[in-house]
Amino acid sequence: MRDKKDEAPAGRGAQDASAGKRGERRTFIKFLILVLLSAAGGALVGIAGVKLIKTGFTPVIPAQAAGVLRMAAPWANLVLGAGMLAGILLRIRTYRKIRAAWDGEDEDAAERMDEVLTDVLIATAVGQILGYFFFGLGMYALLPVMDRSGEGALAAILGIIFLTAVCIASQKRAVDLVKEVNPEKRGNVYDMRFHKVWIESCDELERLRIYQASYRAYKATQAACLILWILCFTGMLLFDAGLFPIVVVTAVWMTSCIGYLTGCRKKNDKSRW
Amino acid sequence: MPLSNHLKEQRAKLGVNQSEMGRLTGVSRQTISQIERGDYSPSVTLALKLAKVCGVTVEDIFSYEEDEHER
């Protein structure tokens, strides 16, 4: 005969299972609504696009704007690099002040030091990506007048070299400052194996944070790729942007997805946790 | 968080700061700080290492207190 005490957990288990199924159904309905709304949104954009094309609409950058772009874009990286250098030097000076006053125990000061160095690393990462963008933009703006705009082309090339040098030197400085406070850290920014060596010198909490941040980045990339694909598809239909942007977005999307999934499989197969 | 700890007290007895404690246990100062504040529950390996460095048992540093609503 079963005791009442034994029956109670079994009853709760059945209730939990039923609640779980209800929750699953609700989630599925929400998902279905989202899919239908997305499909309706896509259809609307498509219809609007086709109608716009029928009116003879073609996106043209006004001649004056194109002229300003042509003059400014090649110099953008030099300006960005100089601005970044000044900003980063100021942040490093702030770091040095906090570090000089730090007694090794004050957690607020330690957090401020971490924040300053994180600011520097974020600035260099974003700066480098912007640098590639402005270099592309500069070259695009110069293409039609390349034969008579030697100084613009030179500025674009010097700009990307200068910006890259600022970013790498700033990363090196920030990493060296981290190593001063955390001597267990290993890795040299100039070494191609820097990331691998750095992670190997991180402890369990730091690795956990890196892995969590990587997962967030993966999810953000997935969302961004979907949005970019829609934009590229719309661009292909409306602005005659061609198939190339869609191929590029698909390549990035696939790389992110396969990299993540094969990484998960490797972890399941071999890793010790 | 159901895991509470006395790492700060044990570290004070040992007379070392967070950076030195990190060096002794092979982790960063930030990790020691997060454990002391109860923001991070360390792995079994690290908990055992901390206990060994302090010369006490793991239970002297960490204690698990189950929340009423988690039962």
Side-chain angles (χ1 to χ4, degrees), chain A residues 11-238:
Chain A
R12 204 168 69 183
Q15 277 175 4
D16 287 350
S18 163
K21 275 188 181 170
R22 273 202 305 274
E24 228 172 71
R25 209 174 300 137
R26 266 202 301 273
T27 311
F28 177 71
I29 290 169
K30 274 185 199 167
F31 172 73
L32 205 63
I33 291 170
L34 188 69
V35 167
L36 289 174
L37 283 176
S38 304
L44 274 177
V45 170
I47 292 165
V50 170
K51 286 201 169 173
L52 208 61
I53 290 167
K54 279 184 181 169
T55 62
F57 169 81
T58 47
V60 178
I61 302 171
Q64 279 178 327
V68 171
L69 186 72
R70 199 165 291 143
M71 278 196 303
W75 302 89
N77 276 340
L78 285 171
V79 176
L80 181 66
M84 267 183 63
L85 186 61
I88 286 170
L89 286 176
L90 279 176
R91 293 306 278 159
I92 288 177
R93 210 171 75 171
T94 307
Y95 175 88
R96 286 198 175 289
K97 271 187 195 164
I98 306 170
R99 172 91 168 90
W102 187 50
D103 58 0
E105 279 290 329
D106 181 358
E107 292 197 19
D108 290 337
E111 268 178 28
R112 283 206 305 280
M113 281 158 54
D114 287 344
E115 277 170 19
V116 171
L117 292 184
T118 306
D119 286 349
V120 172
L121 291 173
I122 289 173
T124 54
V126 173
Q128 210 152 18
I129 295 168
L130 281 178
Y132 289 127
F133 172 73
F134 284 129
F135 181 68
L137 189 67
M139 285 302 175
Y140 178 75
L142 286 173
L143 265 181
V145 290
M146 193 61 100
D147 53 336
R148 53 202 153 84
S149 184
E151 66 180 38
L154 189 66
I157 292 166
L158 286 179
I160 188 74
I161 293 171
F162 173 58
L163 185 72
T164 306
V166 168
C167 287
I168 293 175
S170 305
Q171 280 169 1
K172 170 94 173 72
R173 194 77 202 99
V175 166
D176 287 349
L177 290 172
V178 172
K179 279 156 80 173
E180 268 179 31
V181 181
N182 302 282
E184 76 281 2
K185 292 279 181 294
R186 297 277 173 270
N188 185 337
V189 170
Y190 300 137
D191 182 2
M192 295 305 282
R193 293 171 61 249
F194 169 70
H195 285 107
K196 192 172 184 291
V197 176
W198 183 263
I199 286 183
E200 277 169 4
S201 70
C202 287
D203 66 34
E204 56 181 53
L205 176 57
E206 289 164 330
R207 286 184 194 199
L208 182 67
R209 278 192 185 148
I210 291 170
Y211 297 154
Q212 284 171 338
S214 306
Y215 181 64
R216 272 203 299 274
Y218 163 73
K219 283 206 305 186
T221 308
Q222 293 291 302
C225 283
L226 178 62
I227 294 165
L228 285 175
W229 185 88
I230 293 169
L231 288 177
C232 291
F233 185 72
T234 313
M236 183 185 74
L237 288 182
L238 298 186

Side-chain angles (χ1 to χ4, degrees), chain A residues 105 107 110-111 203-204 209, chain B residues 17-18 28 31 37 40 43:
Chain A
E105 279 290 329
E107 292 197 19
E111 268 178 28
D203 66 34
E204 56 181 53
R209 278 192 185 148
Chain B
N17 65 24
Q18 289 179 340
S28 65
T31 299
R37 284 190 291 183
Y40 174 61
S43 66

